[in-house]
Amino acid sequence: MFHTYNDVATDGRLQYLTWRYDKDLLDLGNTPASDYAAVQALVWAIRSDASFDPDVFSATAPANWDNITPSAYALGGTGRVGFNTDNTNFTGVMGDATQAVYDLFVEATAKAGPWALDGSDPAGVTATGANGAIANEPVTFDAGGPVVTDTNGFAAWPEGASTAALEAPGDSFETTAGANQNVLLATQGTVLSANRTATTTTTTTTTTTTTTTTTVAPTTTTVAPTTTTTVVLEPPSSTSTTTTIVVAPPEPEAPDLSQPSVPTPGTPNFAG
């Protein structure tokens, strides 16, 4: 009976698992059959049980299946965990499939979709998913060989490369569920791309301003004081001094008795 496929938004863990472990990978013959059994079990655990019938993983969870011993085979009944069979030739395979449920659960959690490829870093590209970095995935560049992403999801640009491409899980499709959980879930692949961001060199110029303080010694101008010399002239004495010059009269000559005695005219008198 044919069923209609519908484009669905599914859990990112199943988006990754049903893309990575598809028929194309099975046809390559490199993947153990136990991994496909584990993927089927995880589809039951994460989607089918949650949506339709909770019996398959009742009272257990894939996160608890690390290093467990599968329950012995029993027809019917509940409370069993792991893959088991009554054919002892496949006991080892059942153990591998049981461990793979845990291993692929961890892998799917780390690589849950959707993915993105960021090329904003000039040094390289970074692949991320719903839960963080996508490690160990090959990125194809237009120059140089593929580069596998590191634990941070980073892959450096090879010399001369300008574009990068990464295969990633894309849209998921699911058939309409029937009465017996006959849900078929498949995810197509898609290619994410990124272009190299040009490297921008930023030159930062630091200007240092030096403040020079010039101390000018104060100039003291000594102006010679103006000396005013006052010459006090002693006023003339108001006292009139009368100078009397006394001229002694000539001593009288002895009379010439031979001549008559005649007085000499004009003898001045200097008496003041």
Side-chain angles (χ1 to χ4, degrees), residues 129-244:
N131 294 326
I134 300 297
N136 301 316
E137 294 292 334
V139 178
T140 302
F141 296 95
D142 60 338
V147 178
V148 176
T149 57
D150 63 15
T151 56
N152 297 314
F154 179 81
W157 289 102
E159 184 67 28
S162 59
T163 62
L166 173 66
E167 292 187 34
D171 294 335
S172 296
F173 295 87
E174 184 181 74
T175 62
T176 303
N180 298 308
Q181 285 195 349
N182 54 344
V183 175
L184 180 61
L185 182 66
T187 300
Q188 293 182 329
T190 189
V191 176
L192 305 177
S193 61
N195 295 322
R196 189 170 193 172
T197 301
T199 303
T200 302
T201 302
T202 302
T203 302
T204 303
T205 302
T206 303
T207 302
T208 303
T209 303
T210 302
T211 303
T212 302
T213 303
T214 303
T215 304
V216 179
T219 302
T220 302
T221 303
T222 303
V223 179
T226 302
T227 303
T228 303
T229 303
T230 303
V231 179
V232 179
L233 299 178
E234 183 178 351
S237 176
S238 60
T239 304
S240 298
T241 302
T242 301
T243 303
T244 302

Side-chain angles (χ1 to χ4, degrees), residues 3-271:
H3 294 277
T4 302
Y5 276 91
N6 300 295
D7 190 349
V8 295
T10 189
D11 187 291
R13 294 168 295 181
L14 293 183
Q15 182 188 15
Y16 167 76
L17 287 172
T18 56
W19 163 73
R20 174 70 79 194
Y21 298 94
D22 62 358
K23 187 176 183 300
D24 290 339
L25 189 60
L26 176 64
D27 291 343
L28 291 175
N30 298 325
T31 303
S34 56
D35 283 358
Y36 294 101
V39 170
Q40 177 64 68
L42 290 170
V43 172
W44 277 329
I46 296 172
R47 186 162 182 81
S48 297
D49 269 12
S51 301
F52 310 108
D53 186 351
D55 291 344
V56 176
F57 274 80
S58 177
T60 187
N64 298 325
W65 281 27
D66 189 24
N67 293 319
I68 66 170
T69 300
S71 298
Y73 174 79
L75 181 61
T78 60
R80 294 173 295 160
V81 295
F83 286 88
N84 54 60
T85 179
D86 59 350
N87 188 335
T88 56
N89 293 327
F90 295 98
T91 302
V93 175
M94 295 299 104
D96 292 343
T98 300
Q99 182 62 39
V101 170
Y102 172 80
D103 294 340
L104 293 186
F105 176 79
V106 172
E107 179 182 329
T109 300
K111 295 191 174 183
W115 291 5
L117 187 65
D118 182 10
S120 61
D121 185 349
V125 295
T126 301
T128 56
N131 294 326
I134 300 297
N136 301 316
E137 294 292 334
V139 178
T140 302
F141 296 95
D142 60 338
V147 178
V148 176
T149 57
D150 63 15
T151 56
N152 297 314
F154 179 81
W157 289 102
E159 184 67 28
S162 59
T163 62
L166 173 66
E167 292 187 34
D171 294 335
S172 296
F173 295 87
E174 184 181 74
T175 62
T176 303
N180 298 308
Q181 285 195 349
N182 54 344
V183 175
L184 180 61
L185 182 66
T187 300
Q188 293 182 329
T190 189
V191 176
L192 305 177
S193 61
N195 295 322
R196 189 170 193 172
T197 301
T199 303
T200 302
T201 302
T202 302
T203 302
T204 303
T205 302
T206 303
T207 302
T208 303
T209 303
T210 302
T211 303
T212 302
T213 303
T214 303
T215 304
V216 179
T219 302
T220 302
T221 303
T222 303
V223 179
T226 302
T227 303
T228 303
T229 303
T230 303
V231 179
V232 179
L233 299 178
E234 183 178 351
S237 176
S238 60
T239 304
S240 298
T241 302
T242 301
T243 303
T244 302
I245 301 175
V246 178
V247 180
E251 188 175 328
E253 296 180 359
D256 186 5
L257 297 180
S258 63
Q259 297 289 338
S261 179
V262 179
T264 302
T267 303
N269 182 10
F270 289 97

